[in-house]
Amino acid sequence: MRRALAAVLLLLCSRTAGATDLAVTDAAIARVPNTPTAHVTSNVAWQNAWRNERNHDAAWIFVKVRAAGGSWRHASIIRASLQPVARLLQPPSIAVSPDLVGLFLSAASPMRGPVTWSLDLTVDLSLIRDLSADTALETRVFGVEMVQIPEGAFTLGDPDPAALKFAAFYRSNAAGSPDGLIEIRSEEAIEVGAAMGALNYQVEQPEYQGDRQGPIPAAFPKGFRAFYAMKYELSQGLYAEFLNTLGEEATGFRAIHGGREYYRHRGTIRLEEGRYSATQATRPANRVSWEDAIAFADWAGLRPMTELEFEKAARGTSPAIGHEFPWGTSTIDRVRRVMQPNDDLALSSSADEAQLSDVTRVEFGASYYWVLDLAGSVWERTVSVGHPAGRRFEGSHGDGRLTGYGSATNEDWPRGDETGGGYGYRGGGYYEQRMQATDFNPYSPIAYRRFGAWGQAPRSLAYGFRAVRTAP
Ligand SMILES: [Ca+2]
Ligand SMILES: [Ca+2]
């Protein structure tokens, strides 16, 4: 009996630990008379928030509004404050993005633990069609847990020569051979190829590892400047909510649960009575294509991450070690955050995410900045330096608005699921329980980019997504 109880407790722990728990509740909208604006109020709460000397986490908040029965529109946030009742508590930092697409909500002073804040946002309604004084309005307020990656220099690549055959970045000598590692000290343009001090990498197949061309322009986000990365991979629950705000025609392009094998491959999104939902809402969304991924990013007011930002978010400012994983060691032996037999990603221990620290991050598979699952779970799709369409990326942000087919509209973003290119895959991916571990299944070392420029392959059981945003 006692053993059974312990098993139940363990199961409960592993179900609750290490997943996004951010909740937006009591969202309501009230018109401001005689103006094209409205107040949108809501309560935002999540566990394990923090602000410390190194960085902080935050919620990225954005708002959709519609006239009852109409199409959902992204609402610009004109002003943001706390509801009066909440002003008695410790106030948060509220930073509306310069483009008014959303806001970052974070603890204003050092803390660790659960937070709850009640927001009062003033939003612009001028994009709602046929708005009359008595039009009934509906609103949805979304929140995504993010981690701040501070501005600062960092090292690319891997000092272990074995990484070279996986196309890891290195500093070139005049002949094109390795001469140490590259340090990124600014957002200035980077020379690429066989030139003294340039960024270089070895290539077996250019379609997988890249064209070794350059330069990487100044506008390409390199991870030196501060940005926010999603704390967890895009979840099935959030993807279902995304689908629920799309027009009917757009859902035909973006719904990822059409294939016969979807439910055998960890998928839990369903369509019932016109509404999408995910049975396992916190499970990472797999079978996401590049076009699905960037549509989500545009819809959420975010953008894709570059492969240089991936290495910054993983390693931080610590010196590079050989065969290094995002948790700062060269092995996978101590990672306890793994895919469970029931296909949920959870801790195989009684630890709770409240215990995540610089000491325990090995167990949680957390990066230097406490971003989870950069290695393992699903592959991270990142904008590549190894293709012209990747190097054209300027880091523009989504504006919340998609085409009628549910496609992203940012012109500097790489496009195409099977042709086009400009993106690739980092961090490794989990396929199934019986597969033997390799350097790509389920975990890849930070610098390994065997598929870093592979701008192909549509939906797969091991491909997912994580969006970012440049810090305001
Ligand atoms: Ca991952
Ligand atoms: Ca857009």
Side-chain angles (χ1 to χ4, degrees):
M1 181 65 189
R2 181 174 290 175
R3 185 180 295 171
L5 187 62
V8 168
L9 285 174
L10 193 65
L11 188 66
L12 288 174
C13 288
S14 71
R15 276 182 172 280
T16 55
T20 181
D21 53 49
L22 185 142
V24 180
T25 53
D26 303 316
I29 187 165
R31 296 281 292 276
V32 179
N34 306 314
T35 72
T37 68
H39 282 291
V40 171
T41 52
S42 63
N43 300 319
V44 180
W46 74 98
Q47 304 286 319
N48 305 313
W50 79 83
R51 180 176 288 270
N52 60 33
E53 287 178 357
R54 179 186 300 148
N55 72 335
H56 59 270
D57 78 341
W60 169 247
I61 304 291
F62 54 99
V63 179
K64 307 281 177 180
V65 174
R66 69 174 177 182
S71 303
W72 288 103
R73 304 278 170 187
H74 198 91
S76 297
I77 297 173
I78 301 167
R79 205 174 60 86
S81 61
L82 296 178
Q83 292 180 38
V85 62
R87 289 183 188 145
L88 300 172
L89 307 171
Q90 188 188 53
S93 161
I94 303 174
V96 177
S97 63
D99 54 13
L100 311 184
V101 167
L103 64 88
F104 285 107
L105 182 64
S106 61
S109 51
M111 63 83 63
R112 181 82 187 277
V115 291
T116 304
W117 285 300
S118 300
L119 289 174
D120 179 355
L121 310 178
T122 305
V123 303
D124 179 11
L125 299 177
S126 53
L127 282 172
I128 309 285
R129 289 181 191 145
D130 304 323
L131 188 70
S132 65
D134 55 357
T135 304
L137 294 175
E138 297 174 42
T139 189
R140 287 190 190 164
V141 180
F142 296 92
V144 182
E145 280 181 74
M146 311 281 287
V147 175
Q148 187 237 14
I149 313 297
E151 177 178 302
F154 69 104
T155 305
L156 287 173
D158 190 316
D160 178 4
L164 296 174
K165 69 175 188 289
F166 299 112
F169 296 130
Y170 61 81
R171 187 174 63 210
S172 179
N173 66 16
S177 299
D179 181 26
L181 300 180
I182 292 257
E183 193 182 15
I184 300 295
R185 293 198 195 90
S186 74
E187 292 287 336
E188 287 173 19
I190 300 172
E191 194 180 357
V192 178
M196 181 76 84
L199 180 151
N200 207 357
Y201 49 97
Q202 294 180 1
V203 169
E204 282 178 12
Q205 294 164 289
E207 68 270 31
Y208 285 149
Q209 296 102 26
D211 59 9
R212 286 210 290 189
Q213 301 297 304
I216 304 167
F220 184 93
K222 299 177 188 66
F224 176 81
R225 184 179 301 151
F227 64 102
Y228 285 83
M230 286 170 61
K231 189 188 289 183
Y232 311 94
E233 296 161 331
L234 170 62
S235 68
Q236 297 188 19
L238 185 55
Y239 198 84
E241 287 304 314
F242 158 68
L243 293 174
N244 282 329
T245 64
L246 299 184
E248 292 201 353
E249 188 169 25
T251 62
F253 293 89
R254 295 285 77 87
I256 57 179
H257 64 303
R260 204 178 277 151
E261 78 280 49
Y262 175 74
Y263 296 109
R264 275 206 319 274
H265 289 166
R266 308 197 291 277
T268 72
I269 295 175
R270 293 172 197 282
L271 175 63
E272 286 168 336
E273 297 177 359
R275 185 171 169 74
Y276 294 94
S277 63
T279 316
Q280 300 299 101
T282 61
R283 192 178 286 183
N286 58 354
R287 297 199 61 81
V288 178
S289 71
W290 174 255
E291 291 288 331
D292 299 329
I294 60 173
F296 165 78
D298 189 356
W299 170 85
L302 300 171
R303 65 166 172 85
M305 170 168 61
T306 72
E307 54 174 330
L308 304 185
E309 289 175 320
F310 173 85
E311 295 200 24
K312 169 71 175 282
R315 173 176 292 141
T317 59
S318 59
I321 64 168
H323 203 257
E324 181 181 358
F325 291 97
W327 42 90
T329 75
S330 57
T331 73
I332 65 173
D333 299 349
R334 291 172 58 201
V335 178
R336 294 291 171 269
R337 182 170 159 81
V338 296
M339 213 68 81
Q340 302 295 315
N342 73 351
D343 284 341
D344 277 343
L345 177 64
L347 282 164
S348 297
S349 76
S350 59
D352 185 89
E353 206 172 307
Q355 292 156 273
L356 171 58
S357 72
D358 288 348
V359 174
T360 63
R361 73 184 175 98
V362 174
E363 184 176 341
F364 287 84
S367 85
Y368 180 84
Y369 296 110
W370 298 359
V371 179
L372 282 99
D373 312 314
L374 281 171
S377 184
V378 285
W379 286 89
E380 312 279 330
R381 275 192 169 92
T382 53
V383 180
S384 181
V385 305
H387 190 284
R391 291 189 295 272
R392 277 198 295 275
F393 183 60
E394 297 183 344
S396 73
H397 293 127
D399 61 0
R401 295 157 196 134
L402 306 178
T403 70
Y405 297 134
S407 293
T409 57
N410 297 61
E411 292 187 352
D412 61 316
W413 294 8
R415 305 304 298 265
D417 282 338
E418 295 173 69
T419 58
Y423 60 91
Y425 298 77
R426 300 295 290 266
Y430 175 87
Y431 290 82
E432 49 190 297
Q433 297 282 355
R434 290 178 302 282
M435 284 180 75
Q436 195 177 354
T438 70
D439 276 337
F440 300 95
N441 168 36
Y443 309 105
S444 260
I446 295 169
Y448 282 32
R449 43 187 306 285
R450 176 77 180 78
F451 305 101
W454 189 35
Q456 293 185 37
R459 294 169 180 143
S460 150
L461 81 163
Y463 303 163
F465 188 61
R466 177 192 316 264
V468 305
R469 196 178 227 276
T470 306

